[in-house]
């Protein structure tokens, strides 16, 4: 049984750990509202002496951050939608349908998760270039429309659905397509929501691939746009952090409102192998 002292020590340790984790985010927002003098002071200030909200408007004047955020939302949204469609259909086939070599194919499918993305980046780039998709939304999204992780996650969830439900639907004349659309997808909203949040955030924070396949400012995403706030001669760190705060704010809000769904879906998918 835990004593009050043990509980107090535990809360203190948890508070310290939480502060360490949240410190980079809080420091970003503090720096975003500092004046140029405060931001370049040495030793650096942790808490701003005054609040200067003009940093945010100045960021919009220097780079088209709104256009970058719109591009990123479009690319992340299309990728999320594509992964939900392809992963749910593949997961249903692996979980509910019987065909020759299913286990072998699924094992090969899951094995692709062990291949680092950097290994496939050059072949993907050459393919995209040969199709003339450089500097386009197709080039940004098509290589990410299918995901082995999403298929694995949804398959684990679909396998938990009772067999009696499919047998009862089959007696009523329900085929695979109708059963998938009318029963499996509505019952799998926690897992689908988890995959949606994960894929959106993953693509929203992507940097290397958009940098590789885009050339014009009109097609750049927000992660690349932040680097445009740094100059060779000097860097106004308050503006860089203001831009960073604008970029991370949507993903933070999505994570805050979707955290419960994300944890629930992950836990549900891990219950049955």
């Amino acid at each position: 049984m835990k004593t009050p002292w043990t509980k107090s020590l535990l809360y203190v340790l948890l508070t310290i750990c939480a502060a360490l984790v949240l410190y980079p985010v809080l420091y970003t927002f503090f720096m975003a509202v500092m004046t140029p003098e405060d931001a370049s002071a040495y030793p650096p200030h942790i808490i701003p002496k005054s609040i200067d909200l003009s940093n945010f408007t100045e960021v919009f004047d220097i780079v088209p951050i709104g256009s970058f955020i719109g591009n990123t939302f479009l690319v992340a949204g299309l990728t999320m939608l594509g992964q939900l469609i392809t992963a749910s259909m593949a997961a249903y086939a692996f979980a509910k349908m019987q065909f020759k070599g299913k286990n072998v194919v699924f094992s090969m499918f899951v094995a692709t998760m062990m291949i680092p993305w950097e290994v496939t980046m050059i072949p993907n780039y050459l393919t995209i270039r040969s199709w003339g998709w450089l500097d386009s939304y197709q080039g940004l999204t098509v290589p990410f429309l299918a995901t082995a992780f999403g298929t694995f996650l949804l398959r684990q969830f679909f396998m938990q659905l009772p067999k009696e439900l499919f047998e009862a639907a089959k007696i009523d004349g329900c085929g695979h397509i109708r059963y998938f659309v009318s029963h499996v997808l509505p019952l799998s909203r926690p897992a689908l929501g988890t995959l949606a949040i994960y894929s959106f955030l993953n693509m929203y924070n992507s940097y290397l691939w958009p940098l590789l396949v885009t050339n014009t400012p009109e097609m750049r995403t927000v992660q690349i746009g932040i680097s445009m706030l740094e100059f060779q001669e000097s860097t106004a760190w308050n503006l860089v952090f203001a831009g960073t705060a604008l970029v991370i704010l949507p993903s933070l809000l999505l994570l805050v409102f979707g955290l419960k769904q994300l944890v629930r879906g992950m836990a549900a998918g891990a219950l049955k192998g």
Side-chain angles (χ1 to χ4, degrees):
M1 185 176 179
K2 294 181 179 178
T3 63
W5 280 104
T6 306
K7 288 184 178 179
S8 300
L9 181 60
L10 179 62
Y11 285 136
V12 169
L13 289 175
L14 290 176
T15 303
I16 293 174
C17 292
L20 291 175
V21 171
L22 291 176
Y23 173 72
V25 179
L26 294 176
Y27 185 68
T28 299
F29 284 99
F30 286 156
M31 281 286 287
V33 295
M34 284 186 183
T35 61
E37 292 76 18
D38 285 344
S40 58
Y42 186 84
H45 297 161
I46 297 177
I47 298 176
K49 292 182 177 179
S50 60
I51 297 178
D52 185 8
L53 296 179
S54 65
N55 294 335
F56 296 102
T57 57
E58 195 169 346
V59 168
F60 279 93
D61 294 335
I62 296 174
V63 295
I65 197 74
S67 173
F68 292 155
I69 293 177
N71 275 344
T72 310
F73 264 89
L74 179 61
V75 171
L78 290 174
T79 303
M80 177 190 70
L81 187 62
Q83 289 191 7
L84 285 176
I85 295 173
T86 58
S88 61
M89 295 175 69
Y92 179 83
F94 286 127
K96 297 296 181 184
M97 299 178 73
Q98 300 298 327
F99 54 89
K100 191 175 181 179
K102 184 176 77 170
N103 293 331
V104 176
V105 174
F106 181 70
S107 300
M108 294 172 63
F109 209 86
V110 174
T112 60
M113 288 194 297
M114 302 178 186
I115 301 174
W117 157 244
E118 289 78 9
V119 175
T120 61
M121 186 171 57
I122 298 302
N124 280 332
Y125 174 79
L126 295 176
T127 304
I128 293 298
R129 189 182 65 175
S130 65
W131 290 348
W133 283 1
L134 290 179
D135 209 33
S136 68
Y137 289 116
Q138 302 96 302
L140 285 168
T141 56
V142 168
F144 302 95
L145 293 183
T147 167
F149 169 75
T151 303
F152 175 76
L153 176 70
L154 295 182
R155 173 188 176 269
Q156 303 304 103
F157 194 90
F158 291 170
M159 289 181 67
Q160 299 179 56
L161 299 177
K163 295 180 180 178
E164 293 78 9
L165 181 64
F166 177 66
E167 293 171 356
K170 192 175 181 181
I171 292 174
D172 289 339
C174 190
H176 280 294
I177 296 177
R178 186 178 170 191
Y179 177 68
F180 172 69
V181 175
S182 304
H183 296 80
V184 174
L185 291 183
L187 292 173
S188 305
R189 280 179 293 184
L192 293 172
T194 300
L195 178 60
I197 295 171
Y198 174 81
S199 60
F200 187 91
L201 291 178
N202 196 33
M203 196 63 198
Y204 188 87
N205 295 318
S206 178
Y207 176 79
L208 187 55
W209 182 253
L211 179 65
L212 195 63
V213 301
T214 60
N215 299 313
T216 60
E218 291 76 17
M219 295 303 301
R220 293 292 196 188
T221 56
V222 75
Q223 303 297 339
I224 304 171
I226 290 299
S227 62
M228 295 181 182
L229 293 170
E230 299 182 31
F231 306 102
Q232 290 183 350
E233 297 80 11
S234 62
T235 299
W237 290 109
N238 56 328
L239 298 182
V240 174
F241 278 91
T244 305
L246 289 172
V247 170
I248 66 175
L249 192 58
S251 55
L252 277 180
L253 291 176
L254 182 62
L255 186 61
V256 168
F257 290 108
L259 184 61
K260 186 177 180 181
Q261 186 80 11
L262 187 66
V263 174
R264 184 187 301 171
M266 286 288 188
L271 289 178
K272 186 173 181 178

